Amino acid sequence: MYNRYIPPPKPAGGAAAPVSSQPPVSQAPAQPARIVFGDDDFVANSNNQQKATPEEPVQQVEEEPKSKSKKSNKKQRDTDNDAEEPPRKKTKTDNDEQQQKDETEAQPEPIKKEPKKPKREKKKKESVLETPAADLQDDQQIRQRHRSVFEKVDKALKLKEELQGNDDKEETTPEPEEPVYDLGPLPQPAPVVVDPSRLTYETLPPWLANPIRVTTDTRKPFTDLGISAEAAKVLATKGFKDAFAVQTAALPLLLPNPDLQGDVVVAAPTGSGKTLAYVLPMVQDIALSQTTKLRGVIVLPTRDLVQQVQAACEACAAAFAFAGRNADGKRVKVGTAMGNRPFKEEQAVIMGMEQKYDPKGYQKWLERQKQLVDLDGDSDQEEEDLDLHLKRPLPYHVIQHVPKVDILICTPGRLVEHITKTKGFTLDYVRWLVVDEADKLLAQDFQQWLDVVNEKLAVSKPGARAFAANNKTGPRKVILSATMTRDITLLNGLKLSRPKLVVLEGAKAGDLAIPATLKEYAIKIAEPSLKPLYLVDLLQSKYMVPVNGPETTAGSESSDSSSSSDPSDSDSSSSSSSSSEAEPKTTRKSKALTKPTTSSAKSPFPTTALIFTTSNTSALRLSRLLTLLLPPSFTPLIGTLTSSTPTSHRQRTLRAFTSQKLRILVASDLVSRGIDLSNLDHVINYDLPLSETSYVHRVGRTARAGRKGKAWTLVEFSEARRFWREFVGEGQGAVCNVKRAEGRRVERVRVTEGMMEEGKNGEKGEKKKNGGFSEERVKELEKALEMLRVEATKRG
Ligand SMILES: Nc1ncnc2c1ncn2[C@@H]1O[C@H](COP(=O)(O)OP(=O)(O)OP(=O)(O)O)[C@@H](O)[C@H]1O
C-alpha cells in the first residue's frame, strides 16, 4: 500500500523527467503516498519568486535579524499545516540564495527519489514563506502577487490530508493522468529457453529470416511468368504444362527484369522442380546472345546429376531455339565436365580453336615455331605448344582458343582443373553461377573450388557480363537445395549480392521438408542377424504394389491404409502365421502380393523399389543376397548402383530402371541426392541413413513432382531411439528438423509372419524364437551368406 509511486508530470518540454539515481535519504519520513505535483508547485513557486524579484522596490530589501529567521522557520512549519497563513516577505539574501538554489534545481529536474523530497520541499517552503515582520501593505501586495501560489499550496495540502485520511481512496489530480507504477518488481515474461547449439531466427540476416513464400499447390502457366508463348508450347510437348510452385516464385526473380536483379536461394523439398526453376531463365537469357561464350556454369556434386541436368538444359535450349527463330535468338550450347573421359577430350569438347587474321601475331608464331624445333617436348607446356605447332595457322592468322559452349555443367573438382589448366578457359563472361545441392557442395572443399571460382568471378571486364535487358552487371548466383543450410558462414562463402530466399509455404530456412505426397513406414527388426529376411518379406508383401497411375489398385491403397494405422493390425502375414509358417515359399508369395491389375501382373514384382545401404560393399552384397533369397524370377529385375560402378554402366542401369526393365535397385548413398527416377514407387532404407539430411534425400527419390510414393525404413532395436527422435520427432527429448505435412506421421508396420506367439485368448504373447522366422528360412539365409563368403574369398 505504501509502495505506490506516482510519477511527476512531464516538464514543459514534454520529455519525461529522468529518474534520479541518488540513493534515498534514510532519515526521510515515510509517506503513504507522494503527490508529485506538490513538488512541481514549489518549482513553479520559486519561478514566480524569481520573476517577482526584479519588480520589488529596493527599499523592501532589508537585513533580516537571525532571530526572525528562526521565527520564520517556525512559521513555515505552521504554514505547512495552515495554508491560510499569509506569506511573509523575504530578504534579498534569502532571495539570492533561493535563486541560486533554483538555478541549480532548474537543471534537468531530478526526480526525486521519494525520501529526498521532504528536504527540498521544506527548504523551498521556508524561502517562499519567510517574510519580514513589518509592512502590512507590502504584505498585501505580496499576498496578491502570490495568491495563485498559495492556492496551489492549499490544494496540495488538502489533497495530502485527504490521502492521509483515506489510503484506499484513489488519488485524483488535476493533472493529465499519468500511469501509476508500483515500486515492486514489474512482472517479467517467462524466460525463453535458448538452445545455444542452434541458430535462432533472430540471428539470421533479414533475407534468410523473411523468405519469399509460395503455397505448395500453386500452379501458373509459363506464359504468365514471362516465358514466351512459343517456348511454353515446346515445353508443354515435353510434359511441362504449368510451372510448379517453386518455379512460379523463382522465375519472376530470375528472368530479365531491370528492377529485381539479385541472387536467389531456393530451399524447396525434393522433387519440387528446382532444376527447371533455374534452367529456364538461364537458357532464355543466354539464348539472346549472338556469340558463343561461357555465360553459365552449373556446379553439381555427382556425375549422374550432371547428366540429368544436361538433359533438362537441352530440353530448354530446344524450346528457346524454336522460340528464337522469330526473335533472333540462337540455340544455347550445353557442355559437361565431370571427369568421365580423358581431360584432353573434355577440353576439346568445351574449347575450340579458330583462325584469326593477325599479321603481327603470325610473325611471333613463326619465331616461336623455330624455337620449338629444338624442344624435347618433356613438359606439359611444351606438349601443348607442340599441339598448337601441328595445327598450322593460315598465313597472317593466329589460332585462338574459343569456347564451344554457352553453359557448362560440371563437378567442382573438374571445374577447377579447367580453370587452372585449359587454355583460353575463362569465367570473364559468366553471367550465371548455379550451385545445386548447395549444402553438400559448400560443406566439402573439392579443391577449394569456391575460392577459385569467386576469385575468377570477381574479375570484371567492362561490359563482359552486361546484357541490355538486364541491369545486373555481375554474375547471377542461384543456390539450391532440398536441405539448404542456414549456416551463415557457409552461405557467406558464396558472396551473394542482394539475395532473396524462396521457400514453400509453412517452411523456413533450415527445414528438411518431406514431400506431402510421401507416406512413411517403419519396420521393426527384432532379430538383426536375420535382417535380410525382413527385406525379402517386405519385397514380397502386399505393400509392394504401384502407388501411382493406372497400376494402382484400389485394394492396395485401402488395405495399406487400414493396415498401417495399427502395428498389430498391419501384419497381414501374422494373421496367417500358423499356417504360413509351414507353407512352401511360393504359396506365401502368392498370398502376400496384391493382385496387380495391369501388365505388371505378369511381373513377379509389379512395382519399383530403390533400396539404400550405407556403403558400396553392402549394396553389392545385399544385391547378390537378394538374388539368392528371392525366387529366380526376381533375378533379372535386380540392379546395383554404387559409386564404384563405371559411369556408363550407371547410366545404363538408371535407364533400365526408368524403363522398368529393372525394378529393384540396390544403391549406396551415391544416388540419394538429386536423381530423378520418375516412376519410382518405393524407397527402402535397409540401413538407417547417417543423418536426417540423408534420410530426406533418400526418401525424396519417390513422391516427386506431385506423385505419390512410399518410404520404408528397417529399424533395429539399437537404432530405434535415434530413428524415432531424430528422423520422426517422437519420444522424449526429440530434436528433429524433418518437417512433415500436417497430419502425416511415420506408421509402424510388420511384414514378417508370426513374429509373436498367440496367447491363450488370442492376444499377442511372447516374441517368437528367431523373430518368428521358420527354421527352414533361417537355414536358407545361412546358406546364402556362406555362398557370399565363398564368392568373396574366390575374388580375393
Ligand atoms: N513444371 C513442371 N511440370 C511437370 N513436371 C515438372 C515440372 N517441373 C519439374 N517437373 C518434373 O518434376 C520432377 C522433379 O524435378 P526436379 O528434379 O527439378 O526436382 P528437384 O526439386 O530438383 O528435386 P531434388 O531436390 O531431389 O533434386 C522431374 O521429373 C521434372 O521433370
Side-chain angles (χ1 to χ4, degrees), residues 327-355:
D328 288 339
K330 60 158 195 175
R331 180 170 175 128
V332 171
K333 292 175 189 144
V334 181
T336 60
M338 52 182 165
N340 61 333
R341 57 192 159 197
F343 190 59
K344 280 214 165 162
E345 250 178 62
E346 209 167 77
Q347 282 178 316
V349 170
I350 59 176
M351 295 299 292
M353 292 182 201
E354 68 179 22
Q355 306 271 353

Side-chain angles (χ1 to χ4, degrees), residues 358-397:
D358 182 359
K360 274 188 190 166
Y362 182 68
Q363 272 307 320
K364 275 188 196 163
W365 178 81
L366 284 176
E367 282 161 25
R368 177 92 182 116
Q369 200 190 22
K370 275 178 208 158
Q371 293 167 5
L372 284 175
V373 173
D374 305 327
L375 283 177
D376 290 330
D378 53 331
S379 75
D380 279 356
Q381 179 60 43
E382 285 156 1
E383 264 180 45
E384 274 184 37
D385 287 343
L386 279 171
D387 274 357
L388 268 185
H389 170 70
L390 296 174
K391 293 182 181 67
R392 293 185 68 86
L394 296 171
Y396 307 109
H397 284 69

Side-chain angles (χ1 to χ4, degrees), residues 684-737:
I684 301 170
N685 288 314
Y686 180 78
D687 289 336
L688 203 64
L690 295 176
S691 65
E692 37 183 18
T693 304
S694 171
Y695 179 81
V696 168
H697 283 287
R698 279 185 182 187
V699 299
R701 294 316 95 208
T702 184
R704 297 171 70 77
R707 288 163 60 90
K708 288 180 195 161
K710 293 188 178 181
W712 310 82
T713 304
L714 275 55
V715 188
E716 293 175 23
F717 179 74
S718 60
E719 301 164 331
R721 198 178 148 96
R722 186 162 80 92
F723 175 76
W724 290 103
R725 285 188 182 185
E726 291 179 22
F727 300 171
V728 185
E730 285 179 16
Q732 237 188 357
V735 182
C736 178
N737 284 325

Side-chain angles (χ1 to χ4, degrees), residues 219 222 239-244 246-247 268-278 305 308 436-437 481-482 672-676 678 697 700-701 704-705:
R219 295 282 184 278
F222 282 109
F240 307 121
K241 285 192 181 128
D242 288 325
F244 283 176
V246 70
Q247 294 156 4
T270 50
S272 57
K274 294 186 288 295
T275 313
L276 215 58
Y278 64 80
L305 280 180
Q308 189 174 292
D436 202 347
E437 306 297 344
S481 180
S672 71
R673 269 187 187 256
I675 285 292
D676 185 49
S678 52
H697 283 287
R701 294 316 95 208
R704 297 171 70 77

Side-chain angles (χ1 to χ4, degrees), residues 248-266:
T248 63
L251 284 176
L253 297 173
L254 291 173
L255 284 168
N257 180 334
D259 299 325
L260 292 168
Q261 302 302 301
D263 297 333
V264 174
V265 179
V266 180

Side-chain angles (χ1 to χ4, degrees), residues 21 31 53 55 69 270 305 360 392 445 473 513 647 651 669:
S21 59
Q31 299 209 356
T53 310
E55 290 166 26
S69 177
T270 50
L305 280 180
K360 274 188 190 166
R392 293 185 68 86
D445 211 10
T473 50
T647 314
Q651 285 304 310
D669 273 320

